[in-house]
Amino acid sequence: MFSNKYEKIVFGIMIVVIIGLIIFFNIDYSPHKMHFEEDKIRIKIDNIYIKDIKAVELLDDIPIGNKIKGTSTETYLRGTFQIDGDEKGKLYVYRNSKPYIKITTSNKTLIYNDKDSNKTIETYNQLIKKYNLKSSTNSVKCNNFKSSQTSYTQKDDIVIAISIMPAVLIFVGIGIYSFKRKTPMHFWAGTTVKSEEISNIKAYNRANGIMWISYGLSFLLIPLLGSMVGSIAIAILSPFMIVGMVLCYRCIYNKYKVK
């Protein structure tokens, strides 16, 4: 199936990347939301029965410690974390998005907020009104808290765009180098393509250059599509892009090799 050891190495890397992606996408990236049911509230797989609730609070700040079990990303915290010192709590929290709803039951503490501050306040007011719960905080108006939302900002996009530019410039540079070569461009590290192997060196090098430049520019999908969407798109497409480059080079070589 593979003509040389370098192709085997590339396909081996691809398999490792795919395994990594499987692990990556097993992490829960879907948004969390509090659902109100007849006798309980539900947040993803967590259920809290109304009869077990001891207190409900709306807090401007929550001291959150280390993760015990769950997911911690740049955008949110989900799982079991240390709160208020040694206490353990279940978190469904967007970072830097105040306020927080703290629900204390007979056997656990749950901290929750929405992406938007005003939405969190609406959820809190709906919670205490629907189930007639006692709260240490009275019904709160939306404008009592400064609206905040955790998301990738324009500044984040700029930082990510700058971070991917070295990769873009390297691959584009390889493409330009291919255009300027007088001898045939090689694809596999440590190998050479002899001039007598190629029927039209200029066209062969130009095709290789276009391939490398196209691959480099594909990384610009990240800032163009947005940091999160672009990153996921590149993560999904990367192994297929590597295979695509291998196949593309084989087509270029077969087209221009001396018959």
Side-chain angles (χ1 to χ4, degrees):
M1 179 179 178
F2 306 121
S3 60
N4 58 54
K5 65 178 182 180
Y6 301 103
E7 293 186 16
K8 293 179 181 179
I9 291 173
V10 169
F11 279 88
I13 293 173
M14 184 197 72
I15 292 172
V16 171
V17 170
I18 291 174
I19 294 173
L21 287 175
I22 292 172
I23 296 172
F24 177 82
F25 284 107
N26 276 331
I27 300 174
D28 184 5
Y29 286 96
S30 59
H32 59 250
K33 180 177 176 58
M34 185 179 292
H35 298 276
F36 301 102
E37 300 181 3
E38 184 177 354
D39 60 344
K40 65 182 179 181
I41 59 175
R42 176 174 55 83
I43 308 170
K44 289 190 172 290
I45 61 172
D46 274 292
N47 296 302
I48 296 180
Y49 287 90
I50 306 304
K51 62 182 178 63
D52 295 328
I53 295 178
K54 303 299 183 183
V56 179
E57 301 173 84
L58 186 66
L59 303 175
D60 190 45
D61 195 20
I62 293 287
I64 299 173
N66 296 327
K67 178 182 72 175
I68 298 173
K69 181 181 179 182
T71 303
S72 176
T73 73
E74 293 182 15
T75 306
Y76 59 76
L77 305 172
R78 291 179 193 157
T80 304
F81 289 74
Q82 287 182 330
I83 57 172
D84 294 327
D86 294 332
E87 184 183 354
K88 295 180 182 179
K90 192 64 178 290
L91 267 62
Y92 288 96
V93 166
Y94 288 98
R95 291 181 182 269
N96 304 318
S97 184
K98 300 178 181 180
Y100 306 93
I101 300 172
K102 181 179 180 180
I103 302 174
T104 305
T105 72
S106 54
N107 57 8
K108 69 178 176 180
T109 300
L110 185 140
I111 310 296
Y112 172 92
N113 69 0
D114 293 289
K115 266 190 176 183
D116 184 84
S117 299
N118 290 330
K119 179 61 179 174
T120 300
I121 295 169
E122 290 176 8
T123 301
Y124 166 79
N125 289 334
Q126 186 179 356
L127 173 63
I128 60 175
K129 183 177 180 180
K130 179 176 177 63
Y131 301 109
N132 194 28
L133 296 171
K134 292 182 180 181
S135 171
S136 60
T137 312
N138 294 326
S139 182
V140 182
K141 295 181 180 180
C142 291
N143 58 8
N144 282 14
F145 283 88
K146 182 179 179 182
S147 180
S148 63
Q149 181 172 346
T150 300
S151 62
Y152 283 102
T153 63
Q154 185 177 13
K155 181 179 178 181
D156 296 320
D157 286 331
I158 293 173
V159 171
I160 291 177
I162 292 173
S163 68
I164 65 172
M165 284 311 296
V168 174
L169 293 175
I170 287 172
F171 292 121
V172 170
I174 294 174
I176 295 172
Y177 172 71
S178 180
F179 281 127
K180 295 181 176 294
R181 275 181 67 105
K182 302 299 182 184
T183 56
M185 181 69 178
H186 61 276
F187 182 80
W188 304 102
T191 63
T192 58
V193 179
K194 298 179 181 179
S195 297
E196 52 267 28
E197 294 180 54
I198 305 301
S199 59
N200 187 334
I201 295 175
K202 185 176 180 179
Y204 167 84
N205 283 346
R206 184 170 60 248
N208 274 280
I210 292 172
M211 177 188 70
W212 283 107
I213 291 173
S214 298
Y215 182 72
L217 293 179
S218 68
F219 286 91
L220 295 178
L221 281 171
I222 295 176
L224 289 176
L225 295 177
S227 301
M228 180 63 76
V229 176
S231 298
I232 293 175
I234 290 295
I236 294 173
L237 295 175
S238 287
F240 301 102
M241 290 164 66
I242 294 172
V243 175
M245 285 193 68
V246 173
L247 297 177
C248 183
Y249 174 73
R250 289 177 67 90
C251 290
I252 293 171
Y253 179 81
N254 290 333
K255 179 178 179 180
Y256 293 103
K257 74 176 181 179
V258 176
K259 301 297 191 279

PDB file of all heavy atoms in Angstrom, residues 141-156:
ATOM      1  N   LYS A 141     -33.396  42.777  39.420  1.00  0.00           N
ATOM      2  CA  LYS A 141     -33.593  43.343  38.088  1.00  0.00           C
ATOM      3  C   LYS A 141     -32.329  43.168  37.265  1.00  0.00           C
ATOM      4  O   LYS A 141     -31.217  43.173  37.791  1.00  0.00           O
ATOM      5  CB  LYS A 141     -33.939  44.832  38.186  1.00  0.00           C
ATOM      6  CG  LYS A 141     -35.280  45.095  38.864  1.00  0.00           C
ATOM      7  CD  LYS A 141     -35.569  46.584  38.895  1.00  0.00           C
ATOM      8  CE  LYS A 141     -36.921  46.855  39.565  1.00  0.00           C
ATOM      9  NZ  LYS A 141     -37.207  48.313  39.611  1.00  0.00           N
ATOM     10  N   CYS A 142     -32.529  43.054  35.957  1.00  0.00           N
ATOM     11  CA  CYS A 142     -31.388  42.778  35.085  1.00  0.00           C
ATOM     12  C   CYS A 142     -30.318  43.850  35.153  1.00  0.00           C
ATOM     13  O   CYS A 142     -29.137  43.556  35.084  1.00  0.00           O
ATOM     14  CB  CYS A 142     -31.865  42.625  33.630  1.00  0.00           C
ATOM     15  SG  CYS A 142     -32.842  41.133  33.364  1.00  0.00           S
ATOM     16  N   ASN A 143     -30.728  45.121  35.309  1.00  0.00           N
ATOM     17  CA  ASN A 143     -29.730  46.178  35.267  1.00  0.00           C
ATOM     18  C   ASN A 143     -28.966  46.334  36.582  1.00  0.00           C
ATOM     19  O   ASN A 143     -28.159  47.228  36.735  1.00  0.00           O
ATOM     20  CB  ASN A 143     -30.368  47.517  34.875  1.00  0.00           C
ATOM     21  CG  ASN A 143     -31.477  47.933  35.833  1.00  0.00           C
ATOM     22  OD1 ASN A 143     -31.673  47.306  36.866  1.00  0.00           O
ATOM     23  ND2 ASN A 143     -32.185  48.993  35.481  1.00  0.00           N
ATOM     24  N   ASN A 144     -29.257  45.449  37.572  1.00  0.00           N
ATOM     25  CA  ASN A 144     -28.514  45.496  38.814  1.00  0.00           C
ATOM     26  C   ASN A 144     -27.099  44.960  38.663  1.00  0.00           C
ATOM     27  O   ASN A 144     -26.244  45.192  39.504  1.00  0.00           O
ATOM     28  CB  ASN A 144     -29.231  44.689  39.908  1.00  0.00           C
ATOM     29  CG  ASN A 144     -30.406  45.457  40.476  1.00  0.00           C
ATOM     30  OD1 ASN A 144     -30.836  46.450  39.887  1.00  0.00           O
ATOM     31  ND2 ASN A 144     -30.931  45.006  41.600  1.00  0.00           N
ATOM     32  N   PHE A 145     -26.880  44.181  37.617  1.00  0.00           N
ATOM     33  CA  PHE A 145     -25.548  43.659  37.337  1.00  0.00           C
ATOM     34  C   PHE A 145     -25.088  44.173  35.979  1.00  0.00           C
ATOM     35  O   PHE A 145     -25.880  44.273  35.052  1.00  0.00           O
ATOM     36  CB  PHE A 145     -25.541  42.116  37.310  1.00  0.00           C
ATOM     37  CG  PHE A 145     -25.572  41.500  38.674  1.00  0.00           C
ATOM     38  CD1 PHE A 145     -26.779  41.247  39.294  1.00  0.00           C
ATOM     39  CD2 PHE A 145     -24.399  41.185  39.330  1.00  0.00           C
ATOM     40  CE1 PHE A 145     -26.821  40.668  40.545  1.00  0.00           C
ATOM     41  CE2 PHE A 145     -24.436  40.595  40.580  1.00  0.00           C
ATOM     42  CZ  PHE A 145     -25.650  40.340  41.192  1.00  0.00           C
ATOM     43  N   LYS A 146     -23.819  44.484  35.905  1.00  0.00           N
ATOM     44  CA  LYS A 146     -23.260  44.883  34.626  1.00  0.00           C
ATOM     45  C   LYS A 146     -23.214  43.676  33.722  1.00  0.00           C
ATOM     46  O   LYS A 146     -22.679  42.631  34.088  1.00  0.00           O
ATOM     47  CB  LYS A 146     -21.849  45.458  34.813  1.00  0.00           C
ATOM     48  CG  LYS A 146     -21.222  45.947  33.517  1.00  0.00           C
ATOM     49  CD  LYS A 146     -19.840  46.528  33.778  1.00  0.00           C
ATOM     50  CE  LYS A 146     -19.206  47.003  32.484  1.00  0.00           C
ATOM     51  NZ  LYS A 146     -17.841  47.528  32.705  1.00  0.00           N
ATOM     52  N   SER A 147     -23.786  43.811  32.541  1.00  0.00           N
ATOM     53  CA  SER A 147     -23.848  42.673  31.621  1.00  0.00           C
ATOM     54  C   SER A 147     -22.454  42.249  31.206  1.00  0.00           C
ATOM     55  O   SER A 147     -21.606  43.061  30.855  1.00  0.00           O
ATOM     56  CB  SER A 147     -24.657  43.062  30.370  1.00  0.00           C
ATOM     57  OG  SER A 147     -24.710  41.977  29.488  1.00  0.00           O
ATOM     58  N   SER A 148     -22.231  40.937  31.276  1.00  0.00           N
ATOM     59  CA  SER A 148     -20.953  40.386  30.825  1.00  0.00           C
ATOM     60  C   SER A 148     -21.223  39.077  30.148  1.00  0.00           C
ATOM     61  O   SER A 148     -22.202  38.406  30.419  1.00  0.00           O
ATOM     62  CB  SER A 148     -19.999  40.176  32.010  1.00  0.00           C
ATOM     63  OG  SER A 148     -20.530  39.231  32.899  1.00  0.00           O
ATOM     64  N   GLN A 149     -20.342  38.702  29.252  1.00  0.00           N
ATOM     65  CA  GLN A 149     -20.524  37.443  28.523  1.00  0.00           C
ATOM     66  C   GLN A 149     -19.165  36.878  28.197  1.00  0.00           C
ATOM     67  O   GLN A 149     -18.282  37.582  27.727  1.00  0.00           O
ATOM     68  CB  GLN A 149     -21.309  37.673  27.234  1.00  0.00           C
ATOM     69  CG  GLN A 149     -21.537  36.399  26.455  1.00  0.00           C
ATOM     70  CD  GLN A 149     -22.467  36.610  25.290  1.00  0.00           C
ATOM     71  OE1 GLN A 149     -23.143  37.609  25.196  1.00  0.00           O
ATOM     72  NE2 GLN A 149     -22.488  35.668  24.391  1.00  0.00           N
ATOM     73  N   THR A 150     -18.981  35.601  28.498  1.00  0.00           N
ATOM     74  CA  THR A 150     -17.729  34.946  28.179  1.00  0.00           C
ATOM     75  C   THR A 150     -17.777  34.429  26.760  1.00  0.00           C
ATOM     76  O   THR A 150     -18.616  33.611  26.417  1.00  0.00           O
ATOM     77  CB  THR A 150     -17.481  33.768  29.137  1.00  0.00           C
ATOM     78  OG1 THR A 150     -17.417  34.266  30.470  1.00  0.00           O
ATOM     79  CG2 THR A 150     -16.190  33.055  28.802  1.00  0.00           C
ATOM     80  N   SER A 151     -16.904  34.916  25.941  1.00  0.00           N
ATOM     81  CA  SER A 151     -16.828  34.461  24.557  1.00  0.00           C
ATOM     82  C   SER A 151     -15.477  34.848  24.011  1.00  0.00           C
ATOM     83  O   SER A 151     -14.724  35.603  24.630  1.00  0.00           O
ATOM     84  CB  SER A 151     -17.938  35.103  23.706  1.00  0.00           C
ATOM     85  OG  SER A 151     -17.773  36.503  23.690  1.00  0.00           O
ATOM     86  N   TYR A 152     -15.164  34.349  22.841  1.00  0.00           N
ATOM     87  CA  TYR A 152     -13.951  34.774  22.181  1.00  0.00           C
ATOM     88  C   TYR A 152     -14.163  36.182  21.659  1.00  0.00           C
ATOM     89  O   TYR A 152     -15.071  36.436  20.879  1.00  0.00           O
ATOM     90  CB  TYR A 152     -13.606  33.838  21.015  1.00  0.00           C
ATOM     91  CG  TYR A 152     -13.006  32.538  21.466  1.00  0.00           C
ATOM     92  CD1 TYR A 152     -13.765  31.386  21.503  1.00  0.00           C
ATOM     93  CD2 TYR A 152     -11.685  32.480  21.865  1.00  0.00           C
ATOM     94  CE1 TYR A 152     -13.215  30.180  21.923  1.00  0.00           C
ATOM     95  CE2 TYR A 152     -11.115  31.283  22.275  1.00  0.00           C
ATOM     96  CZ  TYR A 152     -11.892  30.144  22.298  1.00  0.00           C
ATOM     97  OH  TYR A 152     -11.339  28.961  22.703  1.00  0.00           O
ATOM     98  N   THR A 153     -13.343  37.116  22.068  1.00  0.00           N
ATOM     99  CA  THR A 153     -13.460  38.503  21.655  1.00  0.00           C
ATOM    100  C   THR A 153     -12.573  38.761  20.454  1.00  0.00           C
ATOM    101  O   THR A 153     -11.794  37.902  20.017  1.00  0.00           O
ATOM    102  CB  THR A 153     -13.040  39.437  22.797  1.00  0.00           C
ATOM    103  OG1 THR A 153     -11.657  39.200  23.087  1.00  0.00           O
ATOM    104  CG2 THR A 153     -13.868  39.166  24.047  1.00  0.00           C
ATOM    105  N   GLN A 154     -12.667  39.996  19.926  1.00  0.00           N
ATOM    106  CA  GLN A 154     -11.825  40.358  18.791  1.00  0.00           C
ATOM    107  C   GLN A 154     -10.352  40.268  19.177  1.00  0.00           C
ATOM    108  O   GLN A 154      -9.512  39.878  18.375  1.00  0.00           O
ATOM    109  CB  GLN A 154     -12.173  41.775  18.341  1.00  0.00           C
ATOM    110  CG  GLN A 154     -11.430  42.197  17.076  1.00  0.00           C
ATOM    111  CD  GLN A 154     -11.844  43.582  16.620  1.00  0.00           C
ATOM    112  OE1 GLN A 154     -12.490  44.321  17.341  1.00  0.00           O
ATOM    113  NE2 GLN A 154     -11.470  43.924  15.415  1.00  0.00           N
ATOM    114  N   LYS A 155     -10.047  40.620  20.436  1.00  0.00           N
ATOM    115  CA  LYS A 155      -8.673  40.526  20.909  1.00  0.00           C
ATOM    116  C   LYS A 155      -8.191  39.084  20.873  1.00  0.00           C
ATOM    117  O   LYS A 155      -7.053  38.798  20.496  1.00  0.00           O
ATOM    118  CB  LYS A 155      -8.576  41.091  22.325  1.00  0.00           C
ATOM    119  CG  LYS A 155      -7.162  41.061  22.901  1.00  0.00           C
ATOM    120  CD  LYS A 155      -7.152  41.647  24.287  1.00  0.00           C
ATOM    121  CE  LYS A 155      -5.738  41.573  24.887  1.00  0.00           C
ATOM    122  NZ  LYS A 155      -5.704  42.119  26.263  1.00  0.00           N
ATOM    123  N   ASP A 156      -9.066  38.151  21.289  1.00  0.00           N
ATOM    124  CA  ASP A 156      -8.711  36.723  21.245  1.00  0.00           C
ATOM    125  C   ASP A 156      -8.417  36.286  19.818  1.00  0.00           C
ATOM    126  O   ASP A 156      -7.482  35.523  19.564  1.00  0.00           O
ATOM    127  CB  ASP A 156      -9.851  35.872  21.817  1.00  0.00           C
ATOM    128  CG  ASP A 156     -10.097  36.144  23.290  1.00  0.00           C
ATOM    129  OD1 ASP A 156      -9.120  36.310  24.018  1.00  0.00           O
ATOM    130  OD2 ASP A 156     -11.270  36.189  23.686  1.00  0.00           O
TER     131      ASP A 156
END
